[in-house]
Amino acid sequence: MASDDMHVTGTLVWYYYICQRQVWLMAHQVNPDEDNPSIDLGRFLHEHVYEREKKEISLPGMRLDVLSEKDGRLVVGEIKKSMRGEKSARMQLLFYLDELDRAGVSAVGELRFPEQRKRERVTLDEASHTELDRARRDIFRIMYLSEPPAPEKIRYCRGCGYAELCWS
Amino acid sequence: MKRTFYLFSNGELKRKDNTIYFETENGEKRFLPVEDISEIMAFGEVSLNKRLLEFLSQSEIIVHYFNYYGYYMGTFYPREHMNSGYMTLRQAEHYLDDSKRLDLAKRFVKGAADNMLRVVKYYEKREKDISNVREEIERRRADISDCDNGETLMAIEGNVRNTYYEAFDAIVGQPAFAFESRTRRPPRNYMNTLISFGNSMMYSVVLSQIYRTHLDPRIGYLHATNFRRFTLNLDVAEIFKPIIVDRIIFTLLGRRQLSENDFVKGTEGVVMKENARKMFVEEFDQKLQTTQNYKSLNRQVSYRHLIRLELYKLEKHLMGEKQYDPYVAAW
Amino acid sequence: MFVILVYDIKQVRVTKVLKKCREYLYWVQNSVFEGEITGAGLKKLKMELGHIMHPEEDSVIIYNLRTTKYYSREIMGVEKGGMDQII
């Protein structure tokens, strides 16, 4: 059960490196619980932080949080609430850089953790490019499964907006 | 969880700055923090405007209206914010496929019967002479799994419920509150008025929880979707009515908090006076806040939360992940 | 968690702070709010207040009660605000 317009998005890449079940649920628009405090805070941060330079740009499969320019190069910023899932955040940002690269735009990335007042540089290289290709194929495989992958208890379950669905 | 507000006073509900403001006709002014509201139940004459509706919609706050007599009138159900085309299709599939639909309907009937049994057993332990009722429900409940069509299921459901109601007089033991027979629209005696009022509260509360999930409240399984607006909430409410509504009625009567003086008889049947309604609502809200341990989540959850979890279980049934097994009270 | 929030804000900004607090908590009396709030809710409120107030002139104090189990509340004189759910 999947529709024709299913495509890999940055958000799915982020989920992919945390929990594959989330990928499936997200791809089927079964969204996480909005009453969940961390989802609520995440939405709020998106709407309120970095208001000055906020230029959220939507391209197919991408919702770029912040765009700026430094030394003649495009800088893509991705805002995250916490350092947990840092790898996921990096892969998501690399995915955007890779997509832009395919469109002929060379850019660098910057991960931002406003609550920790931290920023981290991310650049695309050959190894991450190969890893993203593998991830893209695997995400497609998951999206087309007829049922969601079974829930697994992992450390991210705590505070996850799907925990109640998974463990009810 | 965010709170429910029950508006009994007449007045004007409006958006003021970025929050909700209620000014009663007696001049009482109250700001209701928008971040702390999940639903509003309006019993009084509440006037509002489109600007407020827009704000409620944006804040994902649902409003239920009850008329002057306390009967449910309708709901302001803001535009779906959790819409999943996938889930809607699954819901429709389980409705259109007769065997899938019957299977789900049976699960609701069985869950309701199990919880009625819990209530009966609870009062049996408190020396109420109702063992014959329990045995009869147990017998009829056994027919559910063999049943192979909707009409028979509805008949079994009706029989179980009627048997269950036979225990009410023994549990309450107050002639003024005799059950007699079930009468609706309008209810004709005190007990029926209490049941109707409590049930409509229950339907609203379940509907509010459905709004916070991916489910479409218009597609129900036990209650026919004969073009009524909401039916799924009626199905799910069946599970909770005995253990929430009926228990509240027994508690209030047991504590002698309600008497004949709390009702008026009129052309609209027997209706509760406002103070009695307020008392019921207060008890109801407190009941929904009481918590119990939920093993697989390993934490305390309230009854209101338990309703949400029940809906998630239903979603998993629809997704083909895990068959729906209704909640049964542990007490 | 249950919080009690009190503020002392310069006249020019006090209305903004008052309005912001009304979105999250219940007004008790002048410059005092209280209410049940989630950790995330409190973070949001603090961030929003942080944008409005001037830290060198204004002051906000938040008393945080993890539970209201051992708390009692006594009112002398008039009860001005309230957090009743049944109105």
Side-chain angles (χ1 to χ4, degrees):
Chain A
M1 259 280 320
S3 58
D4 293 339
D5 60 346
M6 275 190 169
H7 47 252
V8 175
T9 64
T11 319
L12 288 180
V13 171
W14 150 266
Y15 283 129
Y16 176 72
Y17 287 97
I18 289 175
C19 167
Q20 304 202 348
R21 181 176 166 81
Q22 282 195 330
V23 171
W24 190 96
L25 292 169
M26 257 334 230
H28 289 75
Q29 299 99 44
V30 179
N31 293 332
D33 175 14
E34 292 181 347
D35 286 348
N36 177 292
S38 53
I39 305 264
D40 180 36
L41 189 59
R43 274 210 298 192
F44 175 84
L45 286 177
H46 251 277
E47 286 161 21
H48 290 83
V49 183
Y50 294 100
E51 262 163 0
R52 275 159 302 146
E53 53 175 328
K54 191 175 114 180
K55 298 171 198 138
E56 196 179 85
I57 305 250
S58 290
L59 298 166
M62 293 194 265
R63 231 180 48 197
L64 307 179
D65 287 344
V66 201
L67 283 176
S68 57
E69 205 185 316
K70 207 176 179 185
D71 308 326
R73 260 193 118 182
L74 182 67
V75 181
V76 179
E78 173 66 25
I79 305 169
K80 288 292 173 203
K81 190 163 67 354
S82 82
M83 305 284 292
R84 251 157 62 115
E86 200 187 338
K87 182 189 178 189
S88 275
R90 190 177 307 112
M91 293 312 293
Q92 178 182 1
L93 193 46
L94 283 167
F95 170 81
Y96 292 146
L97 299 178
D98 194 50
E99 292 279 306
L100 288 169
D101 188 59
R102 287 167 176 221
V105 181
S106 157
V108 290
E110 192 178 65
L111 276 181
R112 299 185 179 186
F113 304 95
E115 284 195 60
Q116 289 78 13
R117 296 173 195 281
K118 263 194 75 165
R119 294 182 179 205
E120 198 179 297
R121 230 342 122 84
V122 175
T123 48
L124 188 67
D125 57 14
E126 197 47 43
S128 45
H129 179 78
T130 317
E131 168 59 16
L132 279 168
D133 266 351
R134 189 199 61 77
R136 274 195 190 89
R137 281 194 301 277
D138 204 35
I139 289 171
F140 264 115
R141 177 190 64 80
I142 295 164
M143 289 191 331
Y144 283 93
L145 293 173
S146 62
E147 278 164 35
E152 266 177 68
K153 257 215 169 101
I154 54 171
R155 66 191 177 101
Y156 293 104
C157 290
R158 248 179 75 94
C160 171
Y162 284 114
E164 300 197 346
L165 172 65
C166 293
W167 306 110
S168 61
Chain B
M1 253 193 191
K2 296 178 180 180
R3 305 166 88 205
T4 303
F5 284 88
Y6 306 89
L7 308 181
F8 280 91
S9 308
N10 300 337
E12 194 180 358
L13 190 67
K14 52 186 173 188
R15 172 179 183 165
K16 197 159 183 180
D17 304 314
N18 267 322
T19 196
I20 314 250
Y21 177 73
F22 186 52
E23 186 170 350
T24 69
E25 61 184 9
N26 305 330
E28 200 193 327
K29 294 161 188 175
R30 286 278 306 274
F31 281 93
L32 313 180
V34 64
E35 294 278 336
D36 196 33
I37 308 175
S38 74
E39 60 186 330
I40 295 172
M41 298 205 186
F43 292 93
E45 206 53 60
V46 174
S47 62
L48 39 83
N49 59 21
K50 204 176 86 183
R51 188 161 166 266
L52 175 80
L53 293 177
E54 256 173 56
F55 187 56
L56 291 171
S57 186
Q58 181 194 322
S59 315
E60 294 162 6
I61 297 170
I62 182 168
V63 187
H64 305 288
Y65 308 97
F66 297 81
N67 73 8
Y68 181 73
Y69 305 100
Y71 300 140
Y72 173 77
M73 277 201 310
T75 298
F76 171 64
Y77 198 86
R79 116 190 86 73
E80 291 275 2
H81 60 115
M82 295 281 277
N83 216 356
S84 161
Y86 164 79
M87 195 62 81
T88 310
L89 285 175
R90 286 301 200 160
Q91 254 188 282
E93 177 199 347
H94 281 76
Y95 180 82
L96 294 169
D97 180 318
D98 287 342
S99 68
K100 284 183 178 160
R101 181 173 168 197
L102 182 65
D103 174 52
L104 262 177
K106 279 158 87 166
R107 289 169 191 274
F108 286 119
V109 173
K110 188 157 171 303
D114 283 341
N115 281 317
M116 287 180 215
L117 269 175
R118 294 310 315 169
V119 171
V120 171
K121 283 182 187 164
Y122 178 88
Y123 287 100
E124 209 180 340
K125 270 185 271 174
R126 277 151 189 79
E127 329 233 298
K128 305 285 182 188
D129 183 18
I130 43 180
S131 56
N132 55 329
V133 170
R134 175 179 45 78
E135 285 158 17
E136 182 68 13
I137 297 177
E138 278 167 349
R139 248 196 311 282
R140 295 189 184 277
R141 174 173 154 276
D143 297 335
I144 299 170
S145 44
D146 296 333
C147 156
D148 62 0
N149 66 75
E151 290 83 69
T152 317
L153 182 66
M154 289 315 281
I156 297 171
E157 195 267 345
N159 285 332
V160 168
R161 190 168 299 280
N162 287 335
T163 309
Y164 168 67
Y165 283 140
E166 283 170 24
F168 275 40
D169 287 356
I171 293 172
V172 174
Q174 294 175 40
F177 286 90
F179 176 78
E180 293 165 0
S181 68
R182 184 76 180 107
T183 46
R184 304 180 184 86
R185 274 174 247 127
R188 292 192 204 285
N189 64 22
Y190 304 142
M191 181 53 92
N192 273 282
T193 297
L194 291 170
I195 296 173
S196 290
F197 184 72
N199 286 353
S200 61
M201 294 285 295
M202 197 70 235
Y203 298 141
S204 313
V205 164
V206 175
L207 182 57
S208 299
Q209 290 303 316
I210 292 176
Y211 175 61
R212 313 217 165 266
T213 69
H214 319 90
L215 296 166
D216 188 320
R218 293 166 299 186
I219 308 175
Y221 301 93
L222 177 60
H223 292 86
T225 301
N226 49 18
F227 311 108
R228 272 161 75 170
R229 192 146 146 66
F230 305 119
T231 51
L232 185 62
N233 56 329
L234 310 185
D235 289 4
V236 177
E238 292 302 322
I239 309 290
F240 293 97
K241 271 156 54 176
I243 54 177
I244 294 179
V245 176
D246 301 343
R247 282 291 306 276
I248 289 173
I249 295 173
F250 300 147
T251 306
L252 288 175
L253 292 175
R255 288 196 218 124
R256 308 272 162 173
Q257 276 176 283
L258 287 169
S259 74
E260 292 151 82
N261 300 330
D262 288 309
F263 298 82
V264 278
K265 275 185 179 155
T267 48
E268 290 285 326
V270 176
V271 299
M272 273 159 119
K273 288 185 188 162
E274 184 173 289
N275 274 341
R277 249 181 264 160
K278 275 188 184 166
M279 188 201 296
F280 195 107
V281 161
E282 201 171 335
E283 196 69 28
F284 187 78
D285 193 82
Q286 261 168 27
K287 186 84 167 179
L288 289 179
Q289 284 184 45
T290 55
T291 59
Q292 55 193 284
N293 190 48
Y294 199 85
K295 225 161 82 193
S296 54
L297 277 172
N298 192 25
R299 72 173 130 95
Q300 295 287 113
V301 299
S302 64
Y303 270 119
R304 193 175 251 122
H305 208 140
L306 206 59
I307 298 169
R308 173 89 65 93
L309 294 167
E310 202 66 6
L311 297 170
Y312 287 145
K313 281 156 66 180
L314 197 55
E315 289 190 359
K316 287 197 282 194
H317 181 99
L318 298 169
M319 291 195 287
E321 254 203 299
K322 193 176 168 191
Q323 295 203 317
Y324 175 53
D325 184 19
Y327 168 79
V328 181
W331 31 263
Chain C
M1 67 186 94
F2 186 86
V3 301
I4 300 163
L5 184 152
V6 299
Y7 58 73
D8 186 338
I9 307 279
K10 265 261 164 100
Q11 189 70 45
V12 283
R13 289 178 294 274
V14 71
T15 316
K16 277 192 168 177
V17 169
L18 170 76
K19 285 179 178 174
K20 191 48 75 186
C21 290
R22 280 174 182 157
E23 294 175 29
Y24 291 84
L25 296 167
Y26 297 80
W27 185 82
V28 180
Q29 57 188 37
N30 283 342
S31 315
V32 184
F33 279 82
E34 66 181 13
E36 206 50 63
I37 194 167
T38 61
L42 187 59
K43 263 187 197 167
K44 281 162 64 177
L45 175 58
K46 280 163 71 179
M47 254 186 263
E48 300 223 62
L49 290 178
H51 283 307
I52 302 168
M53 60 189 283
H54 288 185
E56 60 289 348
E57 289 183 310
D58 302 334
S59 156
V60 173
I61 302 173
I62 299 164
Y63 298 90
N64 195 329
L65 284 76
R66 196 155 293 171
T67 106
T68 48
K69 225 188 218 164
Y70 307 108
Y71 141 113
S72 81
R73 189 177 186 273
E74 208 176 311
I75 302 161
M76 292 174 70
V78 193
E79 176 162 29
K80 296 194 166 183
M83 48 187 296
D84 309 331
Q85 282 167 263
I86 301 176
I87 307 167

